[in-house]
mmCIF file of all heavy atoms in Angstrom:
data_model
loop_
_atom_site.group_PDB
_atom_site.id
_atom_site.type_symbol
_atom_site.label_atom_id
_atom_site.label_comp_id
_atom_site.label_asym_id
_atom_site.label_seq_id
_atom_site.Cartn_x
_atom_site.Cartn_y
_atom_site.Cartn_z
ATOM 1 N N VAL W 647 -10.463 -43.013 12.173
ATOM 2 C CA VAL W 647 -11.149 -43.985 11.327
ATOM 3 C C VAL W 647 -10.172 -45.006 10.758
ATOM 4 O O VAL W 647 -10.479 -46.209 10.679
ATOM 5 C CB VAL W 647 -11.922 -43.270 10.189
ATOM 6 C CG1 VAL W 647 -10.990 -42.491 9.275
ATOM 7 C CG2 VAL W 647 -12.739 -44.279 9.386
ATOM 8 N N ALA W 648 -8.974 -44.546 10.393
ATOM 9 C CA ALA W 648 -7.979 -45.459 9.830
ATOM 10 C C ALA W 648 -7.350 -46.335 10.913
ATOM 11 O O ALA W 648 -7.028 -47.503 10.663
ATOM 12 C CB ALA W 648 -6.888 -44.666 9.102
ATOM 13 N N VAL W 649 -7.178 -45.787 12.104
ATOM 14 C CA VAL W 649 -6.606 -46.565 13.215
ATOM 15 C C VAL W 649 -7.507 -47.751 13.534
ATOM 16 O O VAL W 649 -7.038 -48.894 13.693
ATOM 17 C CB VAL W 649 -6.433 -45.678 14.468
ATOM 18 C CG1 VAL W 649 -6.078 -46.527 15.684
ATOM 19 C CG2 VAL W 649 -5.350 -44.629 14.233
ATOM 20 N N ILE W 650 -8.816 -47.515 13.611
ATOM 21 C CA ILE W 650 -9.756 -48.584 13.926
ATOM 22 C C ILE W 650 -9.858 -49.571 12.770
ATOM 23 O O ILE W 650 -9.910 -50.795 12.968
ATOM 24 C CB ILE W 650 -11.146 -48.006 14.261
ATOM 25 C CG1 ILE W 650 -11.056 -47.158 15.533
ATOM 26 C CG2 ILE W 650 -12.175 -49.122 14.445
ATOM 27 C CD1 ILE W 650 -12.327 -46.417 15.881
ATOM 28 N N ALA W 651 -9.858 -49.067 11.541
ATOM 29 C CA ALA W 651 -9.916 -49.951 10.372
ATOM 30 C C ALA W 651 -8.675 -50.840 10.307
ATOM 31 O O ALA W 651 -8.771 -52.036 9.980
ATOM 32 C CB ALA W 651 -10.040 -49.125 9.091
ATOM 33 N N LYS W 652 -7.534 -50.288 10.621
ATOM 34 C CA LYS W 652 -6.296 -51.065 10.623
ATOM 35 C C LYS W 652 -6.336 -52.146 11.696
ATOM 36 O O LYS W 652 -5.973 -53.309 11.447
ATOM 37 C CB LYS W 652 -5.108 -50.124 10.866
ATOM 38 C CG LYS W 652 -3.783 -50.825 11.227
ATOM 39 C CD LYS W 652 -3.332 -51.792 10.157
ATOM 40 C CE LYS W 652 -2.027 -52.468 10.543
ATOM 41 N NZ LYS W 652 -1.639 -53.550 9.599
ATOM 42 N N ALA W 653 -6.774 -51.805 12.881
ATOM 43 C CA ALA W 653 -6.762 -52.741 14.006
ATOM 44 C C ALA W 653 -7.758 -53.878 13.837
ATOM 45 O O ALA W 653 -7.575 -54.961 14.393
ATOM 46 C CB ALA W 653 -7.056 -51.989 15.311
ATOM 47 N N THR W 654 -8.814 -53.645 13.067
ATOM 48 C CA THR W 654 -9.880 -54.638 12.935
ATOM 49 C C THR W 654 -9.947 -55.301 11.566
ATOM 50 O O THR W 654 -10.633 -56.312 11.399
ATOM 51 C CB THR W 654 -11.252 -53.991 13.204
ATOM 52 O OG1 THR W 654 -11.454 -52.925 12.256
ATOM 53 C CG2 THR W 654 -11.322 -53.422 14.614
ATOM 54 N N GLY W 655 -9.277 -54.706 10.578
ATOM 55 C CA GLY W 655 -9.393 -55.215 9.221
ATOM 56 C C GLY W 655 -10.707 -54.825 8.563
ATOM 57 O O GLY W 655 -11.091 -55.378 7.526
ATOM 58 N N ALA W 656 -11.413 -53.871 9.168
ATOM 59 C CA ALA W 656 -12.732 -53.472 8.671
ATOM 60 C C ALA W 656 -12.625 -52.606 7.418
ATOM 61 O O ALA W 656 -11.667 -51.853 7.231
ATOM 62 C CB ALA W 656 -13.486 -52.708 9.757
ATOM 63 N N ASP W 657 -13.642 -52.722 6.566
ATOM 64 C CA ASP W 657 -13.783 -51.832 5.427
ATOM 65 C C ASP W 657 -14.484 -50.559 5.904
ATOM 66 O O ASP W 657 -14.919 -50.480 7.061
ATOM 67 C CB ASP W 657 -14.608 -52.506 4.333
ATOM 68 C CG ASP W 657 -13.986 -53.824 3.855
ATOM 69 O OD1 ASP W 657 -12.743 -53.897 3.808
ATOM 70 O OD2 ASP W 657 -14.746 -54.758 3.548
ATOM 71 N N VAL W 658 -14.606 -49.575 5.029
ATOM 72 C CA VAL W 658 -15.252 -48.310 5.407
ATOM 73 C C VAL W 658 -16.315 -47.936 4.384
ATOM 74 O O VAL W 658 -16.075 -47.953 3.175
ATOM 75 C CB VAL W 658 -14.226 -47.165 5.518
ATOM 76 C CG1 VAL W 658 -14.925 -45.844 5.830
ATOM 77 C CG2 VAL W 658 -13.188 -47.474 6.593
ATOM 78 N N LEU W 659 -17.505 -47.610 4.891
ATOM 79 C CA LEU W 659 -18.597 -47.134 4.032
ATOM 80 C C LEU W 659 -18.678 -45.612 4.159
ATOM 81 O O LEU W 659 -19.096 -45.100 5.200
ATOM 82 C CB LEU W 659 -19.920 -47.766 4.462
ATOM 83 C CG LEU W 659 -21.140 -47.379 3.607
ATOM 84 C CD1 LEU W 659 -21.063 -48.044 2.237
ATOM 85 C CD2 LEU W 659 -22.441 -47.756 4.310
ATOM 86 N N PRO W 660 -18.288 -44.872 3.115
ATOM 87 C CA PRO W 660 -18.361 -43.409 3.186
ATOM 88 C C PRO W 660 -19.790 -42.918 2.977
ATOM 89 O O PRO W 660 -20.507 -43.425 2.108
ATOM 90 C CB PRO W 660 -17.455 -42.967 2.026
ATOM 91 C CG PRO W 660 -17.573 -44.083 1.025
ATOM 92 C CD PRO W 660 -17.732 -45.344 1.832
ATOM 93 N N VAL W 661 -20.194 -41.961 3.795
ATOM 94 C CA VAL W 661 -21.542 -41.400 3.692
ATOM 95 C C VAL W 661 -21.461 -39.880 3.787
ATOM 96 O O VAL W 661 -20.798 -39.348 4.689
ATOM 97 C CB VAL W 661 -22.466 -41.933 4.809
ATOM 98 C CG1 VAL W 661 -23.869 -41.358 4.643
ATOM 99 C CG2 VAL W 661 -22.509 -43.456 4.810
ATOM 100 N N ALA W 662 -22.114 -39.205 2.874
ATOM 101 C CA ALA W 662 -22.121 -37.739 2.884
ATOM 102 C C ALA W 662 -23.514 -37.219 3.173
ATOM 103 O O ALA W 662 -24.504 -37.677 2.589
ATOM 104 C CB ALA W 662 -21.630 -37.197 1.547
ATOM 105 N N ILE W 663 -23.599 -36.272 4.090
ATOM 106 C CA ILE W 663 -24.847 -35.568 4.381
ATOM 107 C C ILE W 663 -24.726 -34.173 3.768
ATOM 108 O O ILE W 663 -23.760 -33.454 4.025
ATOM 109 C CB ILE W 663 -25.079 -35.459 5.897
ATOM 110 C CG1 ILE W 663 -25.185 -36.856 6.520
ATOM 111 C CG2 ILE W 663 -26.330 -34.638 6.193
ATOM 112 C CD1 ILE W 663 -25.259 -36.842 8.032
ATOM 113 N N CYS W 664 -25.693 -33.829 2.961
ATOM 114 C CA CYS W 664 -25.600 -32.543 2.264
ATOM 115 C C CYS W 664 -26.924 -31.783 2.338
ATOM 116 O O CYS W 664 -28.001 -32.359 2.186
ATOM 117 C CB CYS W 664 -25.227 -32.770 0.797
ATOM 118 S SG CYS W 664 -24.865 -31.244 -0.104
ATOM 119 N N CYS W 665 -26.796 -30.482 2.618
ATOM 120 C CA CYS W 665 -27.951 -29.586 2.670
ATOM 121 C C CYS W 665 -27.506 -28.249 2.099
ATOM 122 O O CYS W 665 -26.337 -27.866 2.233
ATOM 123 C CB CYS W 665 -28.431 -29.431 4.112
ATOM 124 S SG CYS W 665 -29.871 -28.362 4.328
ATOM 125 N N ASP W 666 -28.406 -27.546 1.454
ATOM 126 C CA ASP W 666 -28.071 -26.234 0.914
ATOM 127 C C ASP W 666 -28.059 -25.224 2.060
ATOM 128 O O ASP W 666 -29.085 -24.673 2.444
ATOM 129 C CB ASP W 666 -29.098 -25.827 -0.146
ATOM 130 C CG ASP W 666 -28.690 -24.552 -0.860
ATOM 131 O OD1 ASP W 666 -27.555 -24.084 -0.644
ATOM 132 O OD2 ASP W 666 -29.506 -24.016 -1.627
ATOM 133 N N GLY W 667 -26.864 -25.028 2.643
ATOM 134 C CA GLY W 667 -26.741 -24.168 3.804
ATOM 135 C C GLY W 667 -26.891 -24.950 5.089
ATOM 136 O O GLY W 667 -26.771 -26.170 5.121
ATOM 137 N N LYS W 668 -27.186 -24.261 6.167
ATOM 138 C CA LYS W 668 -27.324 -24.892 7.477
ATOM 139 C C LYS W 668 -28.532 -25.819 7.519
ATOM 140 O O LYS W 668 -29.588 -25.513 6.976
ATOM 141 C CB LYS W 668 -27.475 -23.806 8.556
ATOM 142 C CG LYS W 668 -27.546 -24.342 9.969
ATOM 143 C CD LYS W 668 -27.674 -23.201 10.973
ATOM 144 C CE LYS W 668 -27.780 -23.726 12.398
ATOM 145 N NZ LYS W 668 -27.925 -22.618 13.381
ATOM 146 N N ILE W 669 -28.353 -26.977 8.147
ATOM 147 C CA ILE W 669 -29.451 -27.932 8.265
ATOM 148 C C ILE W 669 -30.502 -27.397 9.227
ATOM 149 O O ILE W 669 -30.215 -27.105 10.385
ATOM 150 C CB ILE W 669 -28.941 -29.302 8.745
ATOM 151 C CG1 ILE W 669 -28.072 -29.944 7.653
ATOM 152 C CG2 ILE W 669 -30.095 -30.225 9.109
ATOM 153 C CD1 ILE W 669 -27.495 -31.278 8.036
ATOM 154 N N GLU W 670 -31.729 -27.259 8.725
ATOM 155 C CA GLU W 670 -32.835 -26.754 9.525
ATOM 156 C C GLU W 670 -34.107 -27.484 9.132
ATOM 157 O O GLU W 670 -34.220 -28.030 8.021
ATOM 158 C CB GLU W 670 -33.020 -25.250 9.300
ATOM 159 C CG GLU W 670 -31.846 -24.397 9.734
ATOM 160 C CD GLU W 670 -32.018 -22.938 9.365
ATOM 161 O OE1 GLU W 670 -32.772 -22.664 8.403
ATOM 162 O OE2 GLU W 670 -31.437 -22.072 10.036
ATOM 163 N N ALA W 671 -35.082 -27.498 10.038
ATOM 164 C CA ALA W 671 -36.368 -28.120 9.754
ATOM 165 C C ALA W 671 -36.979 -27.497 8.506
ATOM 166 O O ALA W 671 -36.921 -26.283 8.305
ATOM 167 C CB ALA W 671 -37.302 -27.947 10.944
ATOM 168 N N GLY W 672 -37.530 -28.340 7.651
ATOM 169 C CA GLY W 672 -38.172 -27.860 6.434
ATOM 170 C C GLY W 672 -37.261 -27.854 5.217
ATOM 171 O O GLY W 672 -37.740 -27.721 4.085
ATOM 172 N N LYS W 673 -35.957 -28.005 5.431
ATOM 173 C CA LYS W 673 -35.027 -27.992 4.311
ATOM 174 C C LYS W 673 -34.738 -29.415 3.845
ATOM 175 O O LYS W 673 -34.849 -30.374 4.604
ATOM 176 C CB LYS W 673 -33.724 -27.300 4.710
ATOM 177 C CG LYS W 673 -33.910 -25.836 5.057
ATOM 178 C CD LYS W 673 -32.610 -25.154 5.416
ATOM 179 C CE LYS W 673 -31.692 -25.018 4.225
ATOM 180 N NZ LYS W 673 -30.495 -24.207 4.554
ATOM 181 N N LYS W 674 -34.361 -29.538 2.599
ATOM 182 C CA LYS W 674 -34.048 -30.843 2.038
ATOM 183 C C LYS W 674 -32.657 -31.282 2.477
ATOM 184 O O LYS W 674 -31.697 -30.514 2.422
ATOM 185 C CB LYS W 674 -34.101 -30.788 0.512
ATOM 186 C CG LYS W 674 -33.833 -32.123 -0.168
ATOM 187 C CD LYS W 674 -33.966 -31.993 -1.679
ATOM 188 C CE LYS W 674 -33.705 -33.316 -2.359
ATOM 189 N NZ LYS W 674 -33.826 -33.198 -3.840
ATOM 190 N N VAL W 675 -32.568 -32.515 2.942
ATOM 191 C CA VAL W 675 -31.297 -33.092 3.356
ATOM 192 C C VAL W 675 -31.074 -34.388 2.572
ATOM 193 O O VAL W 675 -31.929 -35.277 2.587
ATOM 194 C CB VAL W 675 -31.276 -33.404 4.865
ATOM 195 C CG1 VAL W 675 -29.958 -34.069 5.253
ATOM 196 C CG2 VAL W 675 -31.482 -32.133 5.680
ATOM 197 N N VAL W 676 -29.974 -34.454 1.869
ATOM 198 C CA VAL W 676 -29.629 -35.652 1.092
ATOM 199 C C VAL W 676 -28.561 -36.446 1.833
ATOM 200 O O VAL W 676 -27.554 -35.884 2.280
ATOM 201 C CB VAL W 676 -29.107 -35.286 -0.314
ATOM 202 C CG1 VAL W 676 -28.633 -36.543 -1.054
ATOM 203 C CG2 VAL W 676 -30.183 -34.585 -1.117
ATOM 204 N N VAL W 677 -28.800 -37.744 1.981
ATOM 205 C CA VAL W 677 -27.801 -38.640 2.564
ATOM 206 C C VAL W 677 -27.364 -39.585 1.449
ATOM 207 O O VAL W 677 -28.183 -40.344 0.919
ATOM 208 C CB VAL W 677 -28.375 -39.441 3.749
ATOM 209 C CG1 VAL W 677 -27.296 -40.343 4.335
ATOM 210 C CG2 VAL W 677 -28.912 -38.500 4.822
ATOM 211 N N SER W 678 -26.093 -39.515 1.097
ATOM 212 C CA SER W 678 -25.570 -40.299 -0.022
ATOM 213 C C SER W 678 -24.574 -41.337 0.482
ATOM 214 O O SER W 678 -23.552 -40.995 1.087
ATOM 215 C CB SER W 678 -24.891 -39.369 -1.036
ATOM 216 O OG SER W 678 -24.389 -40.103 -2.138
ATOM 217 N N TYR W 679 -24.869 -42.616 0.224
ATOM 218 C CA TYR W 679 -24.031 -43.727 0.652
ATOM 219 C C TYR W 679 -23.131 -44.124 -0.515
ATOM 220 O O TYR W 679 -23.612 -44.481 -1.593
ATOM 221 C CB TYR W 679 -24.888 -44.922 1.075
ATOM 222 C CG TYR W 679 -25.875 -44.598 2.172
ATOM 223 C CD1 TYR W 679 -27.078 -43.946 1.886
ATOM 224 C CD2 TYR W 679 -25.610 -44.930 3.502
ATOM 225 C CE1 TYR W 679 -27.988 -43.631 2.888
ATOM 226 C CE2 TYR W 679 -26.516 -44.621 4.514
ATOM 227 C CZ TYR W 679 -27.698 -43.971 4.192
ATOM 228 O OH TYR W 679 -28.594 -43.662 5.186
ATOM 229 N N GLY W 680 -21.817 -44.049 -0.287
ATOM 230 C CA GLY W 680 -20.875 -44.365 -1.351
ATOM 231 C C GLY W 680 -20.518 -45.839 -1.399
ATOM 232 O O GLY W 680 -21.013 -46.656 -0.627
ATOM 233 N N LYS W 681 -19.639 -46.184 -2.311
ATOM 234 C CA LYS W 681 -19.186 -47.567 -2.447
ATOM 235 C C LYS W 681 -18.222 -47.908 -1.307
ATOM 236 O O LYS W 681 -17.434 -47.075 -0.876
ATOM 237 C CB LYS W 681 -18.514 -47.776 -3.804
ATOM 238 C CG LYS W 681 -19.472 -47.642 -4.982
ATOM 239 C CD LYS W 681 -18.785 -47.975 -6.278
ATOM 240 C CE LYS W 681 -19.763 -47.868 -7.454
ATOM 241 N NZ LYS W 681 -20.913 -48.797 -7.310
ATOM 242 N N LEU W 682 -18.312 -49.129 -0.845
ATOM 243 C CA LEU W 682 -17.475 -49.593 0.256
ATOM 244 C C LEU W 682 -15.993 -49.496 -0.120
ATOM 245 O O LEU W 682 -15.594 -49.926 -1.204
ATOM 246 C CB LEU W 682 -17.832 -51.046 0.583
ATOM 247 C CG LEU W 682 -17.377 -51.587 1.943
ATOM 248 C CD1 LEU W 682 -18.164 -50.917 3.065
ATOM 249 C CD2 LEU W 682 -17.590 -53.105 1.991
ATOM 250 N N ILE W 683 -15.200 -48.918 0.774
ATOM 251 C CA ILE W 683 -13.751 -48.827 0.565
ATOM 252 C C ILE W 683 -13.111 -50.010 1.287
ATOM 253 O O ILE W 683 -13.186 -50.108 2.514
ATOM 254 C CB ILE W 683 -13.185 -47.510 1.104
ATOM 255 C CG1 ILE W 683 -13.918 -46.315 0.503
ATOM 256 C CG2 ILE W 683 -11.687 -47.414 0.803
ATOM 257 C CD1 ILE W 683 -13.515 -44.986 1.110
ATOM 258 N N LYS W 684 -12.514 -50.896 0.526
ATOM 259 C CA LYS W 684 -11.916 -52.089 1.101
ATOM 260 C C LYS W 684 -10.684 -51.746 1.934
ATOM 261 O O LYS W 684 -9.939 -50.810 1.625
ATOM 262 C CB LYS W 684 -11.530 -53.076 -0.006
ATOM 263 C CG LYS W 684 -12.710 -53.628 -0.786
ATOM 264 C CD LYS W 684 -13.549 -54.548 0.077
ATOM 265 C CE LYS W 684 -14.646 -55.228 -0.719
ATOM 266 N NZ LYS W 684 -15.462 -56.135 0.125
ATOM 267 N N ASN W 685 -10.487 -52.512 2.970
ATOM 268 C CA ASN W 685 -9.334 -52.320 3.834
ATOM 269 C C ASN W 685 -8.037 -52.391 3.042
ATOM 270 O O ASN W 685 -7.103 -51.615 3.272
ATOM 271 C CB ASN W 685 -9.350 -53.388 4.933
ATOM 272 C CG ASN W 685 -8.425 -53.070 6.083
ATOM 273 O OD1 ASN W 685 -7.242 -53.384 6.021
ATOM 274 N ND2 ASN W 685 -8.938 -52.455 7.127
ATOM 275 N N THR W 686 -7.996 -53.305 2.080
ATOM 276 C CA THR W 686 -6.790 -53.465 1.256
ATOM 277 C C THR W 686 -6.575 -52.259 0.348
ATOM 278 O O THR W 686 -5.432 -51.875 0.081
ATOM 279 C CB THR W 686 -6.893 -54.741 0.404
ATOM 280 O OG1 THR W 686 -8.147 -54.741 -0.306
ATOM 281 C CG2 THR W 686 -6.838 -55.984 1.278
ATOM 282 N N ASP W 687 -7.675 -51.654 -0.130
ATOM 283 C CA ASP W 687 -7.548 -50.474 -0.988
ATOM 284 C C ASP W 687 -6.973 -49.285 -0.228
ATOM 285 O O ASP W 687 -6.343 -48.404 -0.815
ATOM 286 C CB ASP W 687 -8.912 -50.091 -1.572
ATOM 287 C CG ASP W 687 -9.434 -51.120 -2.565
ATOM 288 O OD1 ASP W 687 -8.608 -51.884 -3.109
ATOM 289 O OD2 ASP W 687 -10.658 -51.176 -2.781
ATOM 290 N N MET W 688 -7.195 -49.269 1.078
ATOM 291 C CA MET W 688 -6.617 -48.210 1.907
ATOM 292 C C MET W 688 -5.176 -48.514 2.283
ATOM 293 O O MET W 688 -4.510 -47.710 2.927
ATOM 294 C CB MET W 688 -7.469 -48.021 3.175
ATOM 295 C CG MET W 688 -8.838 -47.427 2.934
ATOM 296 S SD MET W 688 -9.784 -47.161 4.469
ATOM 297 C CE MET W 688 -10.283 -48.852 4.853
ATOM 298 N N GLY W 689 -4.708 -49.709 1.900
ATOM 299 C CA GLY W 689 -3.329 -50.103 2.213
ATOM 300 C C GLY W 689 -3.125 -50.460 3.668
ATOM 301 O O GLY W 689 -1.995 -50.441 4.168
ATOM 302 N N LEU W 690 -4.215 -50.821 4.353
ATOM 303 C CA LEU W 690 -4.126 -51.086 5.790
ATOM 304 C C LEU W 690 -3.867 -52.553 6.119
ATOM 305 O O LEU W 690 -3.846 -52.936 7.289
ATOM 306 C CB LEU W 690 -5.411 -50.618 6.483
ATOM 307 C CG LEU W 690 -5.681 -49.116 6.409
ATOM 308 C CD1 LEU W 690 -7.031 -48.793 7.033
ATOM 309 C CD2 LEU W 690 -4.574 -48.337 7.101
ATOM 310 N N ASP W 691 -3.682 -53.373 5.085
ATOM 311 C CA ASP W 691 -3.421 -54.790 5.317
ATOM 312 C C ASP W 691 -1.935 -55.097 5.469
ATOM 313 O O ASP W 691 -1.548 -56.246 5.676
ATOM 314 C CB ASP W 691 -3.992 -55.623 4.165
ATOM 315 C CG ASP W 691 -3.456 -55.188 2.799
ATOM 316 O OD1 ASP W 691 -3.122 -53.991 2.643
ATOM 317 O OD2 ASP W 691 -3.375 -56.036 1.899
ATOM 318 N N ARG W 692 -1.110 -54.057 5.410
ATOM 319 C CA ARG W 692 0.332 -54.242 5.572
ATOM 320 C C ARG W 692 0.718 -54.132 7.035
ATOM 321 O O ARG W 692 0.061 -53.470 7.826
ATOM 322 C CB ARG W 692 1.101 -53.189 4.766
ATOM 323 C CG ARG W 692 0.798 -53.220 3.288
ATOM 324 C CD ARG W 692 1.695 -52.298 2.462
ATOM 325 N NE ARG W 692 2.539 -51.413 3.234
ATOM 326 C CZ ARG W 692 2.381 -50.098 3.269
ATOM 327 N NH1 ARG W 692 1.374 -49.519 2.643
ATOM 328 N NH2 ARG W 692 3.223 -49.350 3.953
ATOM 329 N N ASP W 693 1.820 -54.774 7.394
ATOM 330 C CA ASP W 693 2.302 -54.741 8.781
ATOM 331 C C ASP W 693 3.215 -53.548 9.055
ATOM 332 O O ASP W 693 3.330 -53.090 10.187
ATOM 333 C CB ASP W 693 3.058 -56.035 9.110
ATOM 334 C CG ASP W 693 2.137 -57.244 9.109
ATOM 335 O OD1 ASP W 693 0.955 -57.083 9.469
ATOM 336 O OD2 ASP W 693 2.604 -58.343 8.739
#
């Protein structure tokens, strides 16, 4: 993920998938989208 972000200057959107135990039909699944991590915040704008 960092190699591609470095090569493209792209930011990264972190996303977490969470379920209480193994993901199965009928169970609740939460998808949480975090704040965008800037390429510069990852320190990938340096040569």
Side-chain angles (χ1 to χ4, degrees):
V647 62
V649 170
I650 296 174
K652 166 59 180 173
T654 59
D657 302 324
V658 177
L659 182 72
V661 182
I663 299 174
C664 188
C665 181
D666 187 8
K668 183 179 179 181
I669 292 179
E670 297 174 335
K673 296 181 69 173
K674 182 177 180 180
V675 177
V676 175
V677 181
S678 181
Y679 303 80
K681 294 185 179 300
L682 197 69
I683 305 173
K684 295 291 186 180
N685 195 275
T686 51
D687 292 338
M688 291 182 284
L690 297 176
D691 56 331
R692 301 188 351 248
D693 293 327

